[in-house]
Amino acid sequence: MSDASTLPVSTKVIEKLRVARQANSVSARALAEAMTEAGYPIQRSVIANLESGRRAEVSVDHLVIAARALGIDAAILLRQITAPCPHCKGTPPAGFTCNTCGGAA
Ligand SMILES: [Zn+2]
């Protein structure tokens, strides 16, 4: 598991979570509150720092809780990054769900 072309995974996870957050019109504050309620206390500023690149790494707990709060599948999100679907390359067209991998833009 040292394929440099897939690194850094954290940066790509954060980007996908940001895209999903904005696609669902969820503010960083609302996401932080939802994650806190789900048992993962986090400040809005931490999410802002991650999305702006001031913080470079995201924990697996953060990924799972944030994905759940946004209504997306953390496993699919991670797979799109580490093993992109050969059909859609992990990024189906906006508004579409890939029939091969189930991923959605
Ligand atoms: Zn696909």
Side-chain angles (χ1 to χ4, degrees):
M1 294 296 287
S2 60
D3 183 347
S5 71
T6 66
L7 299 174
V9 173
S10 282
T11 302
K12 295 174 182 173
V13 165
I14 293 162
E15 172 66 11
K16 282 195 171 291
L17 288 174
R18 182 185 65 75
V19 168
R21 180 177 70 70
Q22 294 178 340
N24 289 308
S25 299
V26 176
S27 69
R29 179 179 300 279
L31 177 58
E33 288 173 357
M35 290 171 71
T36 299
E37 277 180 27
Y40 187 82
I42 187 169
Q43 299 285 324
R44 186 204 67 84
S45 59
V46 174
I47 291 173
N49 285 339
L50 285 166
E51 293 185 356
S52 69
R54 284 191 293 274
R55 268 173 86 112
E57 295 198 346
V58 68
S59 73
V60 174
D61 286 28
H62 180 117
L63 163 62
V64 171
I65 297 287
R68 191 176 295 158
L70 292 167
I72 59 178
D73 189 317
I76 290 175
L77 184 154
L78 197 54
R79 184 177 166 80
Q80 287 174 342
I81 295 166
T82 59
C85 165
H87 182 69
C88 68
K89 311 296 181 193
T91 52
F96 289 87
T97 299
C98 176
N99 289 331
T100 301
C101 68

